[in-house]
Amino acid sequence: MKPKILIVEDEPSITDTIQYALETDGFDTVALSSGTAVIPLLSQDPVDLIVLDIGLPDINGLELCKTIRKAHDIPIIFLTARADEIDRVVGLEIGADDYLTKPFSPRELSARVKAVLRRTRRASPSTMSAPGFKVDESKRRISYFDKILDLSHYEFKILKTFIRRPGHVYSRDRLMDLVWEEPETSMDRTVDTHIKNIRAKLKTVKPDVDPIVTHRGMGYSLKEEL
Ligand code: CA
């Protein structure tokens, strides 16, 4: 499958050149000319990388990036026309993956896109994954269909346990041993409650999918395939 790149840029001539260069290099592209349309699009249509102009008519690209980062784990390359914006872009506060100053060559942009994708994908062996899921251990984050889940301490541990071995059935006792600091103080019911909460959170991302399987009298597992 071709990686899909979202281009957010209000100057049509720049969008056209970028789209041409990226599609020539084997990428799928989708383009938006305003910032407010980005979040609704991402919730429906996951993309692999975003090329984001800072000078958008409706919202500042840096602010938009912060909003995107709250819910999505997608690499972002900034486009800027102003040298004074670069300091903020490279600052840790925003966490850009790369940036280009206008005017830039579309070939250069395409090369940067490839490099960022290579870098972010190479990082993934250290992260665990199961169909639909990705665990970022260093950030203690689990994303589900590219949406970062807002999980409690125990929910994170339970889900991470499942993701490590999709298909494996974990009994309630085993889950408690694995994730609870003091298993003897907890009850089976607590495991069920946490599973119920996790399921509810997953459902807000994909209402029609339930990746957790209940095995009557045995426990729970994560589906090997969705
Ligand atoms: Ca602009």
Side-chain angles (χ1 to χ4, degrees):
M1 230 168 66
K2 292 179 181 180
K4 191 189 273 181
I5 315 298
L6 168 64
I7 303 155
V8 190
E9 166 64 68
D10 58 308
E11 287 164 71
S13 62
I14 297 181
T15 304
D16 286 352
T17 5
I18 297 175
Q19 275 193 298
Y20 181 77
L22 291 178
E23 285 173 10
T24 306
D25 280 351
F27 294 103
D28 263 342
T29 65
V30 46
L32 293 173
S33 57
S34 77
T36 41
V38 170
I39 297 293
L41 179 127
L42 291 179
S43 53
Q44 299 188 351
D45 192 10
V47 302
D48 297 287
L49 184 143
I50 304 173
V51 176
L52 180 58
D53 180 30
I54 293 178
L56 293 169
D58 55 342
I59 178 172
N60 180 288
L62 299 172
E63 295 307 314
L64 178 58
C65 172
K66 284 187 197 162
T67 313
I68 296 170
R69 285 270 189 268
K70 278 182 198 155
H72 300 276
D73 196 9
I74 305 170
I76 296 176
I77 297 181
F78 279 106
L79 303 178
T80 171
R82 289 165 40 193
D84 62 320
E85 284 171 339
I86 295 170
D87 286 350
R88 288 194 64 200
V89 171
V90 296
L92 288 172
E93 141 196 35
I94 292 295
D97 294 281
D98 205 347
Y99 68 92
L100 281 166
T101 317
K102 294 177 181 177
F104 55 87
S105 102
R107 282 174 152 272
E108 176 64 21
L109 173 69
S110 190
R112 301 284 186 97
V113 167
K114 283 178 205 161
V116 168
L117 285 177
R118 255 200 318 272
R119 202 165 66 220
T120 47
R121 283 182 180 167
R122 202 174 41 231
S124 46
S126 67
T127 62
M128 280 178 282
S129 66
F133 291 96
K134 233 166 56 192
V135 181
D136 187 334
E137 193 71 67
S138 62
K139 293 176 185 155
R140 281 189 72 79
R141 267 190 341 203
I142 297 178
S143 56
Y144 179 55
F145 290 99
D146 291 323
K147 286 271 291 177
I148 294 163
L149 298 168
D150 182 18
L151 300 169
S152 73
H153 180 61
Y154 287 135
E155 289 164 4
F156 175 83
K157 286 182 147 188
I158 291 172
L159 198 49
K160 196 182 82 176
T161 303
F162 285 144
I163 293 168
R164 198 178 286 142
R165 281 180 78 185
H168 183 83
V169 180
Y170 290 93
S171 68
R172 292 176 177 79
D173 285 349
R174 180 84 184 115
L175 279 175
M176 283 199 293
D177 289 346
L178 284 171
V179 304
W180 264 259
E181 277 82 11
E182 300 164 75
E184 66 279 5
T185 63
S186 306
M187 310 279 279
D188 274 10
R189 185 59 58 195
T190 321
V191 176
D192 293 343
T193 307
H194 284 296
I195 298 280
K196 199 175 143 207
N197 293 341
I198 294 170
R199 275 191 167 129
K201 289 178 182 180
L202 298 178
K203 228 178 169 96
T204 62
V205 178
K206 284 262 169 184
D208 48 335
V209 179
D210 182 7
I212 299 174
V213 186
T214 306
H215 301 265
R216 276 184 177 280
M218 291 167 67
Y220 300 97
S221 71
L222 196 68
K223 284 182 186 160
E224 285 178 277
E225 277 170 39
L226 291 182

